[in-house]
C-alpha cells in the first residue's frame, strides 16, 4: 500500500493521478468494508469530484497542496458541512452540520480527498468501538478481535488500506490505543496544537485531534498540515505548526529516555518484553535509558473517570431534542427531554452522564471532582520532575494486544483499564504517540508509546522514527 508521502509526490509530479489512487482505495473498501465496518459513511461521489479537480489542477500546471490526492478518513465526530456527522449515536443520526471543522477545512485546502466518516464508540466513550450505536468495527488483522477505541474505525481504515491516513480524537487514549491494536502509528499532539473547532466535544479539557498513518513520516507530514493557531478555538496555542519531518533522520544519539519504575500493574508480559526490546534498540542507537518515578500514575485512571464524565455531563446537555439531532415527542417539555435522551443515548453514555452529574453535585463536588483536579495537578508535577532528567518517556501504549469481542463488555472497569498508560498524558496536556513495535504472543501488533512534555513533539518524533527503523 502506498504511503501518504508517495501519493503526494506522485500526484504532484503527474506520475500518479488522484483519481487512480482514489479508485484503488475505493476498491479495497468495496472488497472488505462489509466485513470490517470501519465507516459510518463512505463519501465516494464527493471524493471522486475532489480527485478529478486535483488532477485537472495538476494538468493545468496549478500549484497543489501538501496533501494532494491523499485519501483520508475522518472520525465521525468531526463536523463536515452538509455531510452526516453522527458520533455513532442515535441521537445525532441524520444530523448534517452547517459548517466544516477547522481540520476538515485544512485538509481540503491541502488537497486531501475525504473518503468517509469512520465508526467510533458513541461520543468517543469506549476502548473497543463496541459502544457504537451502529455496530462494532472489526480489527482488519483478525476480525474476531476489536480494533480498539474509541477511534477504532479510523485505525481500521488505515490498517485495511481503505485510506492512506485518517484523523481521530484522543481524550484518554482514543488515538493511541486503537493505533496500537491495529498496528499503525497514532499521535495525540500537545493540547492546543490542533484546533478543536468543529470536533464534537466529549471532555473539552482533554480532547485533542490527531493523525493515524501507516508510518512515522506520514504522521509527521499530516500533523504539520493540521496544526497551528485557530482563532475559532479559544484553547488553540497561538503558535505556528512545529516542523517535524525535518527531525526524523536526526537519530537519538545523546538523548535521555525515561523508563518508569513504578508503572501500574496489569500489563501482559509479552507487551512488557517488547518495551524492553524498545529500550535496547534505543540504547544501541546511542540513547541513555534513565529510571524515572511517576508516583501519581496509579491515581490517573480514577481521576480521569471523574473529570471526563463531569465534563461530558455538561457537554452532552445540549442534546435535548431542541437544538441538535433527534427528538422523541412526549406530553410536555420535561417528558420530551427525558424520552429523547432515553432513546437517543446508549448505555455507556448514560453511565458517564450519571457519573459526571453525581461527581459535580453540590454535596460531592469537593470529594470527587475537586479531588480529581488535585490528582491532575500531581501528575503534572510528577511529569515536570521527570522531564528535568529525560527528553522522552517510553511505556507500552496498551496493557494488552487486541482482545476478543465481548471479553470486556460486561465489566466497565476492565474496559477502562485499557487506557491506564494513555490517560496520564491527557491529564497533563502533553503529546504522546504510539508506534508499532513487533508482535505479542498472539502475533497481534504491540504499540510502544513515546511521551514528551508540552510542545515536545520534535523529541517524540525523533524517538518514534528510531523505533520504526529498529523494528
Ligand atoms: N477509552 C477512554 C474512554 O472511554 C478514552 C476515550 C477517548 O480518548 N475518547 O473514555
Amino acid at each position: 500500500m502506498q504511503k501518504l508521502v508517495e501519493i503526494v509526490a506522485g500526484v504532484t509530479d503527474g506520475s500518479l493521478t488522484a483519481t487512480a489512487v482514489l479508485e484503488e482505495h475505493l476498491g479495497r473498501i468495496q472488497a472488505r468494508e462489509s466485513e470490517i465496518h470501519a465507516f459510518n459513511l463512505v463519501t465516494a461521489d464527493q471524493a471522486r469530484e475532489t480527485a478529478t479537480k486535483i488532477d485537472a489542477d495538476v494538468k493545468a500546471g496549478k500549484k497543489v497542496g501538501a496533501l494532494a490526492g491523499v485519501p483520508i478518513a475522518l472520525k465521525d465526530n468531526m463536523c463536515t458541512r452538509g455531510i452526516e456527522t453522527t458520533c455513532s449515536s442515535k441521537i445525532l443520526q441524520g444530523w448534517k452540520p452547517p459548517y466544516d471543522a477547522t481540520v476538515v477545512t485544512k485538509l481540503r485546502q491541502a488537497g486531501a480527498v475525504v473518503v468517509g466518516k469512520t465508526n467510533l464508540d458513541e461520543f468517543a466513550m469506549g476502548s473497543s468501538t463496541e459502544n457504537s450505536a451502529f455496530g462494532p468495527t472489526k480489527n482488519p488483522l483478525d476480525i474476531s478481535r476489536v480494533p480498539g477505541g474509541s477511534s477504532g474505525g479510523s485505525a481500521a481504515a488505515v490498517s485495511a488500506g481503505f485510506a492512506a491516513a485518517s484523523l481521530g480524537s484522543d481524550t484518554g487514549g482514543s488515538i493511541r490505543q486503537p493505533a496500537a491494536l491495529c498496528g499503525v502509528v497514532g499521535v495525540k499532539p500537545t493540547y492546543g496544537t490542533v484546533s478543536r473547532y468543529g470536533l464534537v466535544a466529549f471532555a473539552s479539557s482533554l480532547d485533542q485531534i490527531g493523525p493515524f498513518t501507516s508510518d512515522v513520516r506520514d504522521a509527521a507530514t499530516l500533523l504539520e498540515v493540521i496544526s497551528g493557531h485557530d482563532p475559532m478555538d479559544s484553547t488553540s496555542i497561538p503558535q505556528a505548526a512545529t516542523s517535524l519531518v525535518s527531525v526524523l533522520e536526526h537519530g537519538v544519539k545523546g538523548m535521555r529516555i525515561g523508563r518508569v519504575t513504578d508503572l501500574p500493574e496489569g500489563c501482559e508480559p509479552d507487551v512488557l518484553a517488547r518495551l524492553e526490546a524498545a529500550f535496547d534498540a534505543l540504547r544501541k542507537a546511542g540513547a541513555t535509558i534513565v529510571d524515572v518515578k511517576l508516583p501519581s500514575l496509579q491515581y490517573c485512571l480514577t481521576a480521569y473517570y471523574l473529570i471526563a464524565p463531569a465534563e461530558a455531563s455538561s457537554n452532552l446537555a445540549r442534546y435535548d431534542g431542541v437544538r441538535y439531532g433527534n427528538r422523541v415527542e412526549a406530553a410536555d417539555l420535561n417528558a420530551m427531554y427525558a424520552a429523547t435522551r432515553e432513546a437517543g443515548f446508549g448505555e455507556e453514555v448514560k453511565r458517564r452522564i450519571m457519573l459526571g452529574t453525581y461527581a459535580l453535585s453540590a454535596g460531592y463536588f469537593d470529594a470527587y471532582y475537586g479531588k480529581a483536579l488535585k490528582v491532575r495537578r500531581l501528575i503534572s508535577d510528577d511529569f515536570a520532575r521527570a522531564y528535568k532528567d529525560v527528553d522522552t518517556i517510553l511505556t507500552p501504549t496498551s496493557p494488552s494486544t487486541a482482545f476478543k469481542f465481548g471479553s470486556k463488555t460486561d465489566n466497565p472497569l476492565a474496559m477502562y483499564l485499557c487506557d491506564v498508560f494513555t490517560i496520564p498524558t491527557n491529564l497533563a496536556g502533553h503529546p504522546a504517540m504510539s508506534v508499532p513495535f513487533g508482535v505479542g504472543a498472539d502475533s497481534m501488533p504491540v504499540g510502544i508509546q513515546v511521551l514528551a512534555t508540552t510542545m515536545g513533539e520534535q523529541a517524540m518524533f525523533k524517538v518514534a522514527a528510531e523505533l520504526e527503523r529498529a523494528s
Side-chain angles (χ1 to χ4, degrees):
M1 268 171 274
Q2 265 159 335
K3 306 282 180 210
L4 176 153
V5 294
E6 294 165 1
I7 295 171
V8 176
V11 168
T12 307
D13 72 19
S15 59
L16 284 175
T17 66
T19 307
V21 171
L22 172 66
E23 291 306 328
E24 235 183 272
H25 287 81
L26 291 177
R28 282 193 285 265
I29 293 174
Q30 178 76 29
R32 271 198 95 190
E33 169 61 4
S34 60
E35 88 178 316
I36 306 292
H37 185 217
F39 291 97
N40 286 338
L41 181 72
V42 177
T43 51
D45 292 344
Q46 286 107 323
R48 287 193 172 106
E49 261 173 52
T50 311
T52 307
K53 173 148 192 326
I54 289 163
D55 290 335
D57 285 351
V58 172
K59 251 201 166 144
K62 288 191 198 154
K63 197 173 149 34
V64 289
L67 298 175
V70 177
I72 287 192
L74 301 171
K75 188 176 183 179
D76 201 15
N77 62 352
M78 294 171 201
C79 289
T80 40
R81 187 185 170 134
I83 297 170
E84 215 176 304
T85 300
T86 69
C87 295
S88 290
S89 179
K90 282 192 269 181
I91 212 157
L92 277 179
Q93 195 167 15
W95 182 63
K96 292 183 177 166
Y99 65 100
D100 276 332
T102 296
V103 284
V104 176
T105 306
K106 287 195 175 205
L107 291 181
R108 292 200 202 285
Q109 283 168 351
V113 177
V114 175
V115 292
K117 306 293 295 281
T118 60
N119 193 21
L120 62 147
D121 287 294
E122 185 177 3
F123 283 103
M125 298 174 188
S127 303
S128 66
T129 74
E130 290 167 292
N131 294 336
S132 166
F134 310 136
T137 297
K138 311 276 173 63
N139 190 315
L141 304 173
D142 175 350
I143 59 167
S144 70
R145 294 171 196 263
V146 304
S150 65
S151 318
S154 288
V158 173
S159 174
F162 297 166
S166 61
L167 296 186
S169 64
D170 189 312
T171 305
S174 278
I175 293 174
R176 293 160 284 160
Q177 184 257 13
L181 271 46
C182 289
V184 299
V185 174
V187 187
K188 185 207 93 77
T190 299
Y191 183 78
T193 299
V194 180
S195 170
R196 292 182 300 112
Y197 178 71
L199 170 70
V200 178
F202 163 12
S204 310
S205 78
L206 303 162
D207 300 339
Q208 254 306 276
I209 293 174
F212 287 94
T213 55
S214 56
D215 73 5
V216 173
R217 180 172 299 271
D218 282 359
T221 308
L222 180 50
L223 185 52
E224 284 183 9
V225 172
I226 61 171
S227 301
H229 183 238
D230 178 13
M232 300 299 279
D233 174 357
S234 62
T235 61
S236 168
I237 297 173
Q239 205 166 298
T242 308
S243 163
L244 300 170
V245 177
S246 62
V247 305
L248 297 178
E249 304 299 328
H250 284 191
V252 296
K253 217 182 179 113
M255 286 184 80
R256 296 168 67 83
I257 318 283
R259 173 204 266 122
V260 184
T261 53
D262 45 4
L263 214 55
E265 276 171 29
C267 189
E268 303 282 343
D270 53 337
V271 173
L272 284 176
R274 293 313 299 156
L275 178 66
E276 285 314 311
F279 283 124
D280 286 344
L282 294 175
R283 204 181 285 113
K284 252 190 223 138
T288 309
I289 311 304
V290 179
D291 284 351
V292 295
K293 271 197 158 50
L294 299 170
S296 0
L297 218 54
Q298 54 177 317
Y299 306 120
C300 284
L301 197 72
T302 317
Y304 172 87
Y305 277 99
L306 291 164
I307 293 169
E311 295 186 22
S313 71
S314 163
N315 274 327
L316 272 61
R318 73 190 66 172
Y319 307 104
D320 55 5
V322 179
R323 288 168 290 180
Y324 293 89
N326 299 317
R327 169 189 297 191
V328 176
E329 299 294 352
D332 59 41
L333 185 65
N334 276 324
M336 186 279 286
Y337 287 154
T340 295
R341 289 165 69 84
E342 166 60 31
F345 290 137
E347 200 183 322
E348 182 62 23
V349 174
K350 286 176 186 159
R351 179 181 296 122
R352 306 276 180 116
I353 291 172
M354 285 189 279
L355 259 173
T357 306
Y358 181 77
L360 291 175
S361 58
Y364 299 102
F365 187 94
D366 290 337
Y368 293 109
Y369 185 69
K371 198 74 168 267
L373 291 184
K374 288 180 183 160
V375 170
R376 191 170 190 176
R377 178 55 190 261
L378 287 179
I379 188 63
S380 290
D381 290 350
D382 278 0
F383 275 127
R385 226 171 288 123
Y387 285 122
K388 280 190 188 141
D389 297 329
V390 296
D391 303 298
T392 67
I393 295 172
L394 241 56
T395 72
T397 304
S398 169
S400 75
T401 56
F403 45 93
K404 298 270 184 183
F405 283 98
S407 61
K408 295 186 201 281
T409 38
D410 293 337
N411 182 349
L413 187 59
M415 192 68 90
Y416 296 172
L417 279 165
C418 293
D419 297 311
V420 65
F421 301 130
T422 47
I423 278 172
T425 32
N426 297 80
L427 292 174
H430 292 170
M433 66 191 283
S434 182
V435 194
F437 198 72
V439 295
D442 51 10
S443 302
M444 292 300 285
V446 171
I448 296 298
Q449 182 179 220
V450 187
L451 299 85
T453 191
T454 303
M455 302 305 278
E457 270 86 350
Q458 286 194 333
M460 177 176 87
F461 269 91
K462 281 182 209 171
V463 173
E466 193 62 51
L467 286 177
E468 187 175 71
R469 282 190 286 270
S471 71

